[in-house]
Amino acid sequence: MREIIEENYLHPEVDLDEFSVQNSGRWWHYDWFDRAKIQLEPSEPRFIVASMWELPFRRSKNSGIWNPHSVEVDITLLMEGAQELGSIPRMPGPPKEFVRGSTNNRPFRPGGLKGSQALQRNLPDGAHSGDWVHEVIHGCHAQNVPPSSKKGLDLGSLKKYPCQWIYTSQQKFPEKDSIDDGTNKHSVQFNYLFKKAWEEDIIEGSNGNGSNQDEIANEDVKVDDIPVTLENTILSESSDAEAELGGQSSKAKNHDKEEWALLGGNDIIVGHFHELVPDMAIDFPFELDSFQKEAIYYLERGESVFVAAHTSAGKTVVAEYAFALASKHCTRAVYTAPIKTISNQKYRDFSGKFDVGLLTGDVSLKPEASCLIMTTEILRSMLYKGADIIRDIEWVIFDEVHYVNDAERGVVWEEVIIMLPSHVNIVLLSATVPNTIEFADWIGRTKQKKIRVTGTIKRPVPLEHCLFFSGELYKICEKDEFLPQGFKAVKEVYKKRKSNAVGGPSGVKHVASHFHGGGQPRQLDSSNRGRSQKHSGHQTAQTFLNASGNQHTSGLRRSEFSLWLSLINKLSKNAQLPVVIFCFSKNRVDKSADNMTGTDLTSNSEKSEIRVFCDKAFSRLKGSDRNLPQVVRVENLLKRGIGVHHAGLLPIVKEVVEMLFCRGVIKVLFSTETFAMGVNAPARTVVFDTLRKFDGKDFRKLLPGEYIQMAGRAGRRGLDNIGTVVIMCRDEIPEESDLKQVMVGRPTRLESQFRLTYTMILHLLRVEELKVEDMLKRSFAEFHAQKNLPEKEQLLLQKLRQSTKKIECIKGEPTIEAYYEMASEAETYKQQIMEAILQLQSTQQILVPGRVVIVKQLPAEDHLLGVVLKTPAAANKQYIILVLTTAITSSMQASSTLNKIQENQSFQQGYFITPKGKRGTEEEYFSSITSRKGSGAINIKLPHYGSASGINYAVTEMENKDIISICNCKIKIDQVRLLEDASNIAYAKTVQELLKHKPDGNKFPLALDAVKDLKLKDMALVQMYHIYNDFLQNMSENKCHGCTKLNEHIMLMKEQSRHKEEVNALKFQMSDDALQQMPDFQGRIDVLKEIHCIDSDLVVQLKGRVACEMNSGEELICTECLFENQLDDLEPEEAVAIMSSLVFQQNNTSEPSLTPKLAYAKKRLYDTAIRLGQLQAQFKLAIDPVEYARDNLKFGLVEVVYEWAKGTPFADICELTDVPEGLIVRTIVRLDETCREFKNAASIMGNSGLYKKMETASNAIKRDIVFAASLYVTGV
């Protein structure tokens, strides 16, 4: 290899064609760089001149223009955030991959990632350890393996040079990580010497600029009008925190104990804001609030901020300023939103101010813009695929961060936050949550950067909460304080009305209760999700009412209409329109709006404005799409000032409703809760149809966070002095506790929804330096466990330093360890055997009063001899047993107890003691004046202690597990005089009888044989019993058996064993195996190996690379579908129809009518999903195969998509299913994204036929109303 390299690359040679004899004497052009066998590239500079950021009030004001001071900076420090996850940096990719990235790229190194060499200089191991110095001096074998390489060239040994050692004191160059144990006072500091030699040029450069920097700083102090103490005061927070943690000297040691979330509220920043930030990146036409000023100041300093405030409080100002800073700094900023509607709206809002681009699943507008708006999933894909645009990003703004609680998509936020490089600053915007500091601390600790937390709990428009009952509004809450007198007033009206009510038709009352109030049943909502007509509005209710008679339908509609009409008239009279009415069902929204027949709330000018706007917006629809039933129906409602808004609407219809509502011409808007999340359109009043919702699984009460989010839409800043929230009350009044909970209760905490996905695992396995365990450790779920690791490390060090007492064997051959292991194993087997024995029917017959047993002694380690006095009753599962205790444990207690018993007895029961010489048999031992049968009562206080015949005893309650052996003997006891009428004589006789049954030489009586006497028949237990006896036999043959120091040595062994277990437990808690999702990770790894996505060395294979492309559908099903060639025999229209099952999300739909070819393709794909589910269940993943297939494959729109791809008009395909039009459009739009993913996968696989088929399918579905451009993007 050495000869080949030297011949091809190190020996220069002349091209014989160019330098031939025939061409001699001629003039030729020869480009050495193009003809070189190795493409030569300019080397990267080691240093770069960069400007130093200075506080605005510290800048020079002589010329009016700030001239920043420039310094020489190591380029690795400047670009460390955008470094590759590897030692060799890659060149920027092709322009088409600049924004979206590619699976061929490596992700950028996540910020705050420890334990990798990527941020350090790429030095050989010997350079870090100091071995390199030895090799150079002593002429040892040379370092020949370059960094990131597995092997190198054999260059032979180095030449040995004579040297003279210089010894230096350990204290002169102290090492932070060294532990001074006093054993070595002088040593050669290889690490220090090498470090000094390596970074000598950097040290010289910093020393050369030091004086100039001091002079500039002094000049700034002279020029400034503001005292320097202002800066010190503002910046003292972090330094104070460090001082509390131990000062500057211990900062490195207490690094992990540092508080990363710094709470705002600095009045100095607010008071001197314009002095601190004299040249703002963007000017606002209004006075900023305090939290906005704080956030902007920290943004100017390049710090990350977390802003928590109520809806409409002005959080968007912070996002705008981050955009302005990115434009000013010629960098990029990314705004992420949880849903597409917010992205489109923000694009419209920011377009007039900044250079804005939009990136969603189906839209890509100006991706080269400096300010990009995208969904969080798009940003996650860019991070995993290492898009080059990440290098330019300075700010990432996360809007609606509380969406991290979403069970389905919350994991995306955690992934993005973890994967962001260190050079990216974070801006988080969230509603008020109780654990803001905790969440910010997790982000700061994960990214290793301070997070400034600011915000406000003050609402810009205060809210009042009312109940609407019997045509009147009753105020029950104001300024976040519940008003009991208001609730009491409405309760009195309710009771009065109830007592005076005249009974009406029971059927109507019964049915009405199903629609309203707090007790809304599930049957109605489930019927609504069946096959019904989408445009009738009340047909589902009609079907439900058939049980009680069709005559009640009209009465119910009239009741609903009159109820809504009375509320709207009341609000209109009080000038409290417009109003948003939240209903928690799409069918409920449509039905309520359709019931408002004959209601007209708009003036002629408003009607004209609505008509002109609708004509202009719907003019982009073609042909029959303009006359779709939903378009006509909604347009008629809008002209009367009534709107509807839910996920079932067409996107263009939904946008028309939103825009008209923002213009103020819609007076009443019936909406689902998505309007509160996705639309920034406050109203004067908000109405809740009910306080219960169906969450996909069951009906439940609204959470405080959900109520606050929706109620926050009440009150328009600058227009209303107060916002009104109304709760509808029909037949019942909600409980006071429920109202308090949702109105003034604590909002929902931010909780981690982190879970492992196959795509995440495969993306991370592509990078050697970033492990899946790193992602798990940095998740919010593991935050507290990882935060406590430094304390556990200290505790582990203390445990390791503890010395254990050495066991000295008097026989010279210590075998105590073997004896202790056998004893421990025997004890384990014995416990399992006894647990089984005590459950046997034969044991219950043997374990009767008088049976001698051996029990555990809780405070000590010895076992005790006892006798059963009473068996458990039905309610009490404990035995009452008299045990012989040691003299130490109960002698003191027994003395006092015994004296009390003797004082109280006074021979009241008629007992007398016969002289010793005249005592007879056992039956004559006790004689009583009156003999009686025991009642079963226990008249002694348990535990009862006493002493007899010089032996201490105790009567106590014990469970089955406390009995460790059942002896082969019984004694006679007097249960009445032991438990009911406590007698010292009876206790003395019982103790004497127990002592008689101790055979000579043995401590306890023999135990009953488990197999012969107790009839143990279970084969596994019988085998365990024989193993136990073998342990006992081996223990008796051990030399330690019978040793006088056995007990002492056993105690020492137990102490050593306990110490070892504690050390192992701490090591486990600090290891990756302690992560909560580690078992799930191992199972998923096994699944990926089984289906050949990765090999045995966890190297991602071709199949795994294809799976990385799948984001819209379940990645395993999509990948298996492609590699099984399930789409090859299908036409493009059929293929895209089957693919719709991967992205469609509604559960209960009408059964589609399929062609035989589609039916076979459906069965084939379903069988694949079942097989994958069974495979995952086989590897211990909590997955049910049938449920897995049902959740990930929904075939409800296969027929619809097939007809749409064939060119059928949209109005016709809507008649094929009961799925709302909006969901059809949403599914087809997502299907186009799936086609792109399959097309990329086909490119990776080299399947040109599939590539063309996906291209044809995408073009077939991309037409007409389904892909009509958003009004927010194109304008009206």
Side-chain angles (χ1 to χ4, degrees):
M1 181 180 291
R2 180 178 179 181
E3 293 175 357
I4 294 174
I5 292 175
E6 290 178 351
E7 180 180 355
N8 292 336
Y9 299 104
L10 300 183
H11 292 168
E13 62 182 21
V14 177
D15 192 332
L16 298 179
D17 293 334
E18 293 290 340
F19 293 89
S20 62
V21 178
Q22 291 79 8
N23 293 330
S24 61
R26 297 181 183 180
W27 177 265
W28 64 89
H29 295 279
Y30 190 81
D31 191 341
W32 293 94
F33 291 95
D34 286 344
R35 296 297 183 91
K37 295 183 179 180
I38 300 179
Q39 291 296 325
L40 302 179
E41 304 229 358
S43 60
E44 294 184 355
R46 291 187 57 188
F47 299 96
I48 191 172
V49 177
S51 301
M52 284 186 62
W53 187 88
E54 297 172 289
L55 287 168
F57 61 83
R58 297 294 303 277
R59 300 170 184 171
S60 176
K61 299 179 180 179
N62 294 331
S63 60
I65 300 176
W66 175 50
N67 293 319
H69 175 59
S70 298
V71 295
E72 195 176 61
V73 182
D74 190 337
I75 193 170
T76 58
L77 300 177
L78 192 66
M79 296 298 294
E80 65 179 7
Q83 281 194 344
E84 300 294 323
L85 270 170
S87 58
I88 304 177
R90 73 160 193 259
M91 294 297 294
K96 66 177 182 179
E97 298 176 358
F98 180 75
V99 176
R100 299 279 184 166
S102 170
T103 52
N104 296 325
N105 296 341
R106 301 159 68 92
F108 292 104
R109 179 181 174 81
L113 187 64
K114 298 179 181 178
S116 175
Q117 301 295 325
L119 282 183
Q120 302 176 7
R121 296 180 184 274
N122 297 316
L123 305 178
D125 294 335
H128 291 290
S129 63
D131 294 339
W132 207 352
V133 179
H134 283 286
E135 296 167 0
V136 172
I137 294 175
H138 296 293
C140 301
H141 196 72
Q143 295 278 346
N144 52 41
V145 181
S148 303
S149 299
K150 295 183 178 180
K151 56 183 179 180
L153 300 175
D154 186 6
L155 302 178
S157 299
L158 297 174
K159 183 179 179 181
K160 184 176 181 180
Y161 289 92
C163 61
Q164 181 178 1
W165 291 100
I166 301 177
Y167 292 89
T168 180
S169 174
Q170 182 78 15
Q171 299 178 353
K172 186 174 181 180
F173 303 111
E175 292 290 322
K176 292 182 179 179
D177 299 332
S178 61
I179 300 175
D180 186 11
D181 55 359
T183 58
N184 188 10
K185 296 183 179 181
H186 297 84
S187 63
V188 180
Q189 301 298 316
F190 293 120
N191 291 350
Y192 175 77
L193 292 173
F194 182 78
K195 182 178 179 181
K196 182 178 180 181
W198 184 266
E199 299 182 352
E200 186 176 0
D201 50 351
I202 301 179
I203 297 174
E204 291 176 355
S206 61
N207 291 337
N209 293 330
S211 59
N212 295 333
Q213 187 173 349
D214 294 338
E215 292 175 4
I216 293 172
N218 294 334
E219 290 178 3
D220 290 343
V221 173
K222 295 176 183 178
V223 172
D224 263 333
D225 296 328
I226 304 174
V228 182
T229 54
L230 177 61
E231 175 193 356
N232 297 334
T233 304
I234 295 173
L235 303 180
S236 62
E237 297 176 5
S238 58
S239 60
D240 290 344
E242 292 170 3
E244 292 177 1
L245 292 172
Q248 185 69 23
S249 60
S250 60
K251 183 178 179 181
K253 297 179 181 179
N254 295 332
H255 186 64
D256 290 322
K257 295 182 180 180
E258 195 172 358
E259 293 297 330
W260 296 98
L262 303 179
L263 188 60
N266 196 320
D267 295 334
I268 301 178
I269 296 177
V270 178
H272 298 82
F273 175 73
H274 295 290
E275 300 169 349
L276 293 170
V277 190
D279 182 21
M280 293 184 62
I282 184 175
D283 294 324
F284 297 96
F286 50 84
E287 180 64 22
L288 298 175
D289 292 338
S290 299
F291 77 92
Q292 294 170 337
K293 292 180 179 179
E294 280 191 62
I296 289 175
Y297 170 75
Y298 292 129
L299 291 182
E300 281 281 357
R301 295 193 58 207
E303 298 188 46
S304 299
V305 296
F306 190 158
V307 181
H310 286 294
T311 304
S312 303
K315 299 188 292 290
T316 309
V317 169
V318 183
E320 287 188 38
Y321 201 83
F323 271 9
L325 282 177
S327 301
K328 181 179 179 181
H329 298 162
C330 298
T331 56
R332 299 180 191 269
V334 171
Y335 182 100
T336 68
I339 54 181
K340 183 180 174 182
T341 306
I342 299 181
S343 300
N344 292 337
Q345 281 192 339
K346 294 302 180 183
Y347 177 81
R348 180 196 63 177
D349 296 342
F350 292 147
S351 290
K353 301 177 182 179
F354 309 104
D355 178 27
V356 183
L358 179 64
L359 292 174
T360 59
D362 59 317
V363 177
S364 179
L365 296 175
K366 295 181 65 177
E368 73 281 358
S370 63
C371 302
L372 292 174
I373 299 173
M374 63 184 69
T375 56
T376 317
E377 282 81 0
I378 297 293
L379 180 57
R380 176 183 64 173
S381 176
M382 291 165 55
L383 289 168
Y384 278 136
K385 294 182 179 181
D388 289 316
I389 197 175
I390 301 294
R391 304 176 191 267
D392 302 338
I393 296 177
E394 181 183 9
W395 303 98
V396 170
I397 302 135
F398 294 94
D399 198 5
E400 308 289 351
V401 175
H402 50 272
Y403 211 86
V404 75
N405 282 338
D406 184 76
E408 186 67 24
R409 298 173 57 209
V411 61
V412 180
W413 274 256
E414 293 191 53
E415 286 184 76
V416 171
I417 290 173
I418 294 171
M419 290 296 296
L420 282 176
S422 61
H423 73 278
V424 178
N425 294 318
I426 302 173
V427 178
L428 302 117
L429 310 178
S430 170
T432 52
V433 290
N435 60 332
T436 306
I437 296 293
E438 178 189 12
F439 192 76
D441 193 24
W442 164 68
I443 297 175
R445 193 172 299 276
T446 302
K447 312 307 295 179
Q448 292 292 298
K449 61 173 61 178
K450 302 287 186 182
I451 306 294
R452 298 285 182 172
V453 180
T454 184
T456 178
I457 60 174
K458 179 182 177 182
R459 290 187 177 275
V461 180
L463 298 182
E464 63 176 12
H465 305 259
C466 305
L467 295 180
F468 182 75
F469 181 73
S470 188
E472 295 294 333
L473 292 172
Y474 298 89
K475 187 188 299 184
I476 60 172
C477 185
E478 186 177 20
K479 296 180 180 179
D480 295 333
E481 290 187 8
F482 194 80
L483 306 176
Q485 62 272 19
F487 181 79
K488 185 177 180 181
V490 69
K491 200 72 174 176
E492 290 176 355
V493 174
Y494 166 74
K495 292 179 180 178
K496 187 175 181 180
R497 181 183 176 187
K498 189 175 181 180
S499 60
N500 297 334
V502 179
S506 59
V508 176
K509 186 173 181 180
H510 172 71
V511 173
S513 66
H514 285 277
F515 286 97
H516 321 306
Q520 191 173 358
R522 183 173 180 173
Q523 289 85 347
L524 174 64
D525 199 89
S526 61
S527 67
N528 288 342
R529 295 193 303 275
R531 188 182 183 102
S532 60
Q533 297 297 323
K534 301 186 287 292
H535 310 301
S536 63
H538 63 274
Q539 294 257 345
T540 305
Q542 178 71 41
T543 304
F544 180 79
L545 294 173
N546 283 339
S548 57
N550 293 335
Q551 67 271 18
H552 301 309
T553 306
S554 59
L556 178 61
R557 290 186 60 191
R558 286 196 300 270
S559 173
E560 279 292 290
F561 170 70
S562 61
L563 187 65
W564 290 123
L565 187 60
S566 62
L567 172 63
I568 293 171
N569 288 337
K570 185 75 174 178
L571 296 177
S572 179
K573 182 179 178 181
N574 297 339
Q576 293 178 321
L577 296 179
V579 58
V580 178
I581 301 174
F582 286 110
C583 306
F584 301 105
S585 165
K586 293 188 291 290
N587 292 321
R588 177 75 176 150
V589 168
D590 289 331
K591 181 176 69 66
S592 299
D594 291 338
N595 285 340
M596 300 291 294
T597 55
T599 302
D600 195 342
L601 302 173
T602 57
S603 62
N604 291 332
S605 61
E606 290 173 335
K607 282 183 171 62
S608 176
E609 182 181 353
I610 293 172
R611 183 173 60 254
V612 170
F613 186 90
C614 289
D615 290 343
K616 191 179 296 185
F618 295 141
S619 63
R620 63 188 66 197
L621 300 182
K622 300 178 181 178
S624 60
D625 293 343
R626 179 66 180 81
N627 299 317
L628 285 172
Q630 187 183 95
V631 175
V632 175
R633 169 177 162 268
V634 172
E635 189 173 356
N636 291 332
L637 287 172
L638 292 175
K639 291 176 181 178
R640 294 187 283 118
I642 301 171
V644 292
H645 189 282
H646 55 72
L649 294 180
L650 293 165
I652 191 171
V653 174
K654 193 157 46 172
E655 290 176 351
V656 167
V657 173
E658 294 167 1
M659 290 182 173
L660 287 176
F661 185 82
C662 292
R663 292 189 176 196
V665 294
I666 297 180
K667 309 302 180 184
V668 178
L669 178 63
F670 293 92
S671 171
T672 56
E673 61 182 318
T674 55
F675 185 82
M677 172 65 76
V679 184
N680 184 18
R684 174 65 179 84
T685 306
V686 164
V687 176
F688 287 88
D689 181 48
T690 179
L691 291 180
R692 293 174 63 83
K693 63 174 286 189
F694 184 76
D695 60 0
K697 297 181 180 179
D698 202 355
F699 277 97
R700 62 169 175 81
K701 298 174 185 177
L702 282 183
L703 300 174
E706 297 170 335
Y707 179 87
I708 291 172
Q709 179 77 22
M710 288 181 273
R713 295 299 174 189
R716 297 163 295 179
R717 190 170 188 176
L719 296 177
D720 303 322
N721 295 326
I722 196 167
T724 304
V725 183
V726 179
I727 299 174
M728 296 291 290
C729 301
R730 294 175 173 83
D731 300 328
E732 297 290 339
I733 302 295
E735 294 293 333
E736 182 178 0
S737 59
D738 295 340
L739 293 174
K740 284 183 178 180
Q741 174 67 18
V742 296
M743 292 179 183
V744 296
R746 288 175 60 86
T748 307
R749 290 172 50 86
L750 293 177
E751 301 288 347
S752 175
Q753 303 296 332
F754 190 87
R755 69 181 189 279
L756 280 172
T757 61
Y758 290 106
T759 304
M760 181 196 308
I761 294 173
L762 289 170
H763 274 300
L764 296 177
L765 287 179
R766 293 190 302 113
V767 185
E768 295 180 1
E769 292 81 2
L770 182 61
K771 300 189 298 182
V772 182
E773 292 88 338
D774 294 328
M775 183 71 81
L776 292 175
K777 288 177 184 177
R778 284 158 179 78
S779 67
F780 189 38
E782 297 286 346
F783 166 59
H784 292 289
Q786 296 298 314
K787 186 178 180 180
N788 295 330
L789 277 184
E791 299 178 3
K792 293 179 180 178
E793 290 177 1
Q794 295 294 330
L795 183 59
L796 178 60
L797 290 176
Q798 294 177 5
K799 293 287 184 184
L800 293 175
R801 292 192 189 105
Q802 289 180 359
S803 60
T804 55
K805 189 175 180 181
K806 187 177 180 181
I807 299 177
E808 298 179 357
C809 180
I810 59 176
K811 297 185 177 181
E813 296 181 6
T815 56
I816 187 64
E817 293 184 3
Y819 186 89
Y820 178 76
E821 290 178 3
M822 289 188 291
S824 301
E825 290 285 342
E827 184 68 20
T828 303
Y829 281 113
K830 189 171 185 179
Q831 290 178 0
Q832 297 178 11
I833 295 170
M834 284 304 301
E835 288 178 4
I837 287 176
L838 291 171
Q839 304 299 327
L840 298 175
Q841 187 65 30
S842 58
T843 305
Q844 304 299 324
Q845 298 174 358
I846 293 175
L847 208 57
V848 295
R851 172 64 62 181
V852 179
V853 294
I854 302 173
V855 298
K856 292 180 182 178
Q857 182 182 7
L858 296 180
E861 300 294 339
D862 204 355
H863 297 154
L864 304 176
L865 186 68
V867 60
V868 178
L869 301 184
K870 185 176 177 62
T871 55
N876 187 11
K877 301 297 183 181
Q878 293 183 325
Y879 292 87
I880 298 179
I881 299 177
L882 182 145
V883 294
L884 302 183
T885 62
T886 59
I888 299 175
T889 54
S890 60
S891 58
M892 297 184 66
Q893 299 175 357
S895 60
S896 60
T897 307
L898 187 59
N899 293 334
K900 292 180 181 178
I901 294 175
Q902 291 175 348
E903 292 174 2
N904 295 334
Q905 280 181 351
S906 301
F907 298 99
Q908 291 178 7
Q909 302 294 334
Y911 296 123
F912 62 92
I913 300 177
T914 307
K916 186 175 182 180
K918 298 182 179 181
R919 292 177 187 172
T921 61
E922 293 177 355
E923 288 75 9
E924 298 173 348
Y925 184 78
F926 293 110
S927 62
S928 177
I929 298 175
T930 58
S931 61
R932 63 180 179 83
K933 187 177 181 180
S935 63
I938 301 174
N939 296 329
I940 62 174
K941 184 179 180 181
L942 300 177
H944 172 74
Y945 298 99
S947 177
S949 302
I951 301 295
N952 295 327
Y953 64 85
V955 180
T956 184
E957 292 180 309
M958 291 189 176
E959 299 179 359
N960 285 347
K961 61 182 181 180
D962 297 324
I963 301 175
I964 63 173
S965 180
I966 304 175
C967 299
N968 61 354
C969 54
K970 288 176 61 178
I971 64 173
K972 292 184 178 181
I973 61 171
D974 192 336
Q975 195 178 56
V976 176
R977 293 173 177 82
L978 290 174
L979 300 179
E980 296 184 34
D981 307 323
S983 169
N984 289 339
I985 302 172
Y987 282 116
K989 179 61 179 175
T990 304
V991 170
Q992 292 175 5
E993 287 294 315
L994 274 176
L995 293 175
K996 288 180 181 179
H997 286 278
K998 275 194 172 184
D1000 296 336
N1002 282 335
K1003 189 175 182 180
F1004 299 123
L1006 296 176
L1008 291 173
D1009 189 274
V1011 178
K1012 298 179 181 178
D1013 300 326
L1014 300 179
K1015 312 300 182 186
L1016 185 65
K1017 297 180 180 180
D1018 186 271
M1019 294 299 296
L1021 291 174
V1022 170
Q1023 184 179 4
M1024 196 178 297
Y1025 178 71
H1026 291 309
I1027 295 175
Y1028 168 70
N1029 286 330
D1030 292 340
F1031 272 117
L1032 295 182
Q1033 180 65 29
N1034 293 334
M1035 289 169 60
S1036 64
E1037 297 173 359
N1038 190 284
K1039 294 182 179 181
C1040 293
H1041 189 68
C1043 178
T1044 56
K1045 289 193 173 184
L1046 177 62
N1047 291 337
E1048 177 185 347
H1049 291 174
I1050 287 291
M1051 294 296 293
L1052 289 175
M1053 282 300 304
K1054 285 186 176 181
E1055 180 65 24
Q1056 292 181 6
S1057 177
R1058 182 188 62 79
H1059 180 267
K1060 186 177 181 180
E1061 290 176 358
E1062 291 176 353
V1063 170
N1064 291 335
L1066 286 172
K1067 289 182 178 179
F1068 173 78
Q1069 293 172 13
M1070 296 168 59
S1071 67
D1072 294 341
D1073 296 333
L1075 298 173
Q1076 296 178 10
Q1077 300 193 39
M1078 204 61 189
D1080 184 59
F1081 169 60
Q1082 296 294 345
R1084 291 179 183 270
I1085 286 291
D1086 293 337
V1087 170
L1088 292 174
K1089 288 180 180 178
E1090 186 70 20
I1091 62 177
H1092 308 296
C1093 284
I1094 58 177
D1095 61 11
S1096 57
D1097 295 327
L1098 305 184
V1099 177
V1100 179
Q1101 304 299 300
L1102 176 64
K1103 205 172 187 180
R1105 289 183 57 200
V1106 170
C1108 289
E1109 294 287 344
M1110 304 302 165
N1111 295 314
S1112 54
E1114 213 286 332
E1115 51 267 37
L1116 294 189
I1117 299 178
C1118 294
T1119 305
E1120 289 297 306
C1121 172
L1122 290 178
F1123 277 82
E1124 292 177 358
N1125 300 320
Q1126 295 188 14
L1127 303 180
D1128 284 5
D1129 58 343
L1130 301 177
E1131 296 299 322
E1133 296 82 5
E1134 296 169 330
V1136 76
I1138 286 297
M1139 288 163 57
S1140 67
S1141 62
L1142 299 168
V1143 295
F1144 183 50
Q1145 294 180 335
Q1146 185 167 320
N1147 289 317
N1148 299 325
T1149 60
S1150 58
E1151 189 66 26
S1153 176
L1154 304 180
T1155 64
K1157 199 171 182 181
L1158 283 176
Y1160 174 73
K1162 171 187 172 182
K1163 180 181 182 302
R1164 184 169 53 182
L1165 187 60
Y1166 183 82
D1167 292 342
T1168 299
I1170 291 291
R1171 177 173 57 81
L1172 289 172
Q1174 293 172 345
L1175 179 64
Q1176 294 175 81
Q1178 175 185 340
F1179 287 106
K1180 304 295 189 299
L1181 294 178
I1183 289 177
D1184 177 69
V1186 176
E1187 191 174 325
Y1188 171 78
R1190 186 175 63 247
D1191 291 344
N1192 293 290
L1193 293 177
K1194 297 180 176 64
F1195 298 94
L1197 286 185
V1198 173
E1199 180 186 9
V1200 171
V1201 175
Y1202 178 63
E1203 293 296 333
W1204 175 253
K1206 288 171 60 179
T1208 307
F1210 189 80
D1212 295 339
I1213 69 169
C1214 290
E1215 300 298 328
L1216 300 175
T1217 181
D1218 60 347
V1219 179
E1221 294 91 331
L1223 292 182
I1224 295 176
V1225 171
R1226 182 182 178 187
T1227 300
I1228 297 177
V1229 169
R1230 293 190 62 196
L1231 194 54
D1232 179 61
E1233 184 180 353
T1234 307
C1235 288
R1236 286 201 304 269
E1237 294 171 357
F1238 274 46
K1239 189 166 62 173
N1240 294 337
S1243 178
I1244 295 174
M1245 297 168 62
N1247 190 339
S1248 59
L1250 180 63
Y1251 185 93
K1252 294 178 181 178
K1253 183 177 292 186
M1254 290 297 101
E1255 202 166 28
T1256 305
S1258 177
N1259 294 331
I1261 63 176
K1262 200 181 295 185
R1263 61 183 177 87
D1264 297 347
I1265 191 172
V1266 173
F1267 284 86
S1270 170
L1271 298 179
Y1272 290 115
V1273 176
T1274 61
V1276 181

